[in-house]
Amino acid sequence: MKILDLYGGEKPVLSLEIFPPRVDYPLETIFETLDELKILNPGYISVTYGAGGSNQARTVEIAARIKRDYGIESLAHLTCVRHTRAEVDQILGQLGKEGIRNILALRGDLPEDDPDFDLSKQDYRFAYQLINDVRKKADFGVAAAAYPAGHPECSRLKDDLYNLKQKVDCGVDFLITQLFFDNRIYYDFIDKALAIKIDCPVVPGIMPVLNARSIRRTIYLCGASIPAPLLKLVDKYENDADSMGKAGIEYASMQVEDLLTSGVPGIHLYTMNKHHQIAEIAKNVGI
Ligand code: FAD
């Protein structure tokens, strides 16, 4: 089924994001996590794709098994920036063969470790080009990424929003946002998006802060800002992982509750493959 069909129902859709284990870890570890996440009855589970990495085949295999073995719809992430058009063709063929019907079409981050990388020489420079190709070549449901606080590469929020509109106009069914820690940023973004007729579902992505150190890296990578109340918690529990974990679950639960009250189409939880914490949030908010 197309995931878009899930949105617009009476109940908000819970979706969960997982990542494939590194290639030197057994693949089976992810199925232990999935056994637990299935209990939460998610509408779908998305599987990240390592841009330029070596475990891309695992994305396809895990997304296929989520559908086949767990009976849950899956959303396979696909990044295009370091792929040729021929490679993308081949991956789309493989996804189709495995029965995967939904793709999160992404550009992917630019490589930090390659000073010679030249975006202008790539087959794909931006996600909208991938969205166009997917739409032309196969009957997939297509989602894309949105950045309520702006994408880090874009110096003007307005330009970023128009670039998002271009993606949506290429045929995006729904959007999933980058994580944010202040719901006002999401609400403000929705108002601006609606004003330029981005009217597909925009699903808020929420990640619980479970570890003071890893949150700094996440923020460095995705450009999200930390509001003062959360920063106080991170500072307070810098050296107390257990308390940080509890406070992070409570903070994320509050964010989700507030979003649900405002009538969002769904909640996308960045699980970081940590099922206990995600189950606690789901229990706290009754989703
Ligand atoms: P784009 O939409 O192409 O945007 C990239 C930048 O280019 C933006 O600054 C945008 O404003 C600008 N831009 C877009 N179009 C134009 C244009 N026509 N002219 C000029 N500028 C333009 N990364 C992974 O590697 N694997 C994953 O699995 C993954 N999953 C993700 C899931 C979600 C929900 C999100 C929010 C992000 C995910 N990412 C993932 C990260 C993503 O790949 C990076 O943020 C990447 O840098 C941008 O991808 P994009 O698809 O948003 O790119």
Side-chain angles (χ1 to χ4, degrees):
M1 75 176 303
K2 299 278 175 62
I3 288 173
L4 178 63
D5 296 338
L6 294 173
Y7 291 110
E10 271 174 29
K11 279 169 83 179
V13 178
L14 172 66
S15 54
L16 305 173
E17 179 171 313
I18 59 166
F19 56 84
R22 278 176 18 193
V23 275
D24 46 344
Y25 277 65
L27 182 65
E28 291 308 313
T29 54
I30 195 63
F31 299 112
E32 289 157 23
T33 305
L34 282 165
D35 288 343
E36 300 297 329
L37 293 177
K38 182 183 166 127
I39 299 167
L40 306 179
N41 198 21
Y44 64 95
I45 295 180
S46 82
V47 188
T48 66
Y49 187 83
S54 51
N55 64 350
Q56 295 164 341
R58 287 191 159 188
T59 301
V60 181
E61 179 168 358
I62 295 167
R65 285 182 62 177
I66 288 172
K67 279 198 75 162
R68 199 177 58 229
D69 300 348
Y70 291 83
I72 299 172
E73 198 49 62
S74 62
L75 175 67
H77 298 208
L78 174 60
T79 63
C80 58
V81 71
R82 281 183 277 175
H83 279 311
T84 62
R85 285 211 145 80
E87 285 167 348
V88 164
D89 256 9
Q90 193 242 323
I91 297 165
L92 291 177
Q94 214 179 337
L95 288 166
K97 219 164 60 192
E98 292 289 347
I100 294 160
R101 309 300 320 138
N102 297 278
I103 293 176
L104 178 60
L106 300 148
R107 187 199 64 182
D109 284 324
L110 308 180
E112 281 176 22
D113 54 353
D114 180 1
D116 299 325
F117 182 80
D118 184 351
L119 183 61
S120 69
K121 295 208 173 111
Q122 302 296 308
D123 275 9
Y124 293 97
R125 295 174 61 198
F126 300 112
Y128 80 88
Q129 297 166 311
L130 174 64
I131 294 163
N132 272 334
D133 279 1
V134 175
R135 279 289 176 223
K136 264 188 248 147
K137 282 174 190 151
D139 183 28
F140 288 107
V142 180
Y147 301 84
H151 183 264
E153 274 170 46
C154 199
S155 52
R156 294 188 65 198
L157 291 177
K158 202 165 144 240
D159 294 344
D160 204 34
L161 202 58
Y162 278 101
N163 292 334
L164 179 64
K165 168 79 173 148
Q166 179 186 30
K167 279 202 290 201
V168 172
D169 289 347
C170 290
V172 165
D173 294 335
F174 65 99
L175 296 164
I176 302 179
T177 77
Q178 183 58 282
L179 59 95
F180 55 86
F181 298 110
D182 182 344
N183 290 356
R184 289 174 302 181
I185 292 176
Y186 170 82
Y187 298 137
D188 194 36
F189 174 70
I190 294 295
D191 288 344
K192 289 184 182 137
L194 279 173
I196 60 163
K197 300 211 165 23
I198 294 177
D199 44 18
C200 62
V202 183
V203 183
I206 298 295
M207 192 184 89
V209 176
L210 302 175
N211 174 317
R213 237 168 293 151
S214 73
I215 194 59
R216 296 213 165 84
R217 167 131 185 93
T218 306
I219 282 163
Y220 167 74
L221 288 174
C222 76
S225 56
I226 299 200
L230 181 58
L231 190 58
K232 278 186 198 148
L233 293 174
V234 171
D235 284 345
K236 185 169 167 190
Y237 298 127
E238 173 110 49
N239 299 311
D240 179 354
D242 277 356
S243 301
M244 184 65 248
K246 284 189 191 121
I249 288 169
E250 203 177 310
Y251 189 92
S253 302
M254 272 164 33
Q255 264 194 289
V256 172
E257 255 174 357
D258 178 69
L259 289 161
L260 290 173
T261 309
S262 82
V264 289
I267 298 286
H268 186 74
L269 292 178
Y270 292 99
T271 72
M272 298 164 290
N273 295 359
K274 297 204 184 307
H275 60 85
H276 289 300
Q277 291 86 343
I278 296 303
E280 272 203 55
I281 295 170
K283 192 177 94 193
N284 287 346
V285 302
I287 190 172

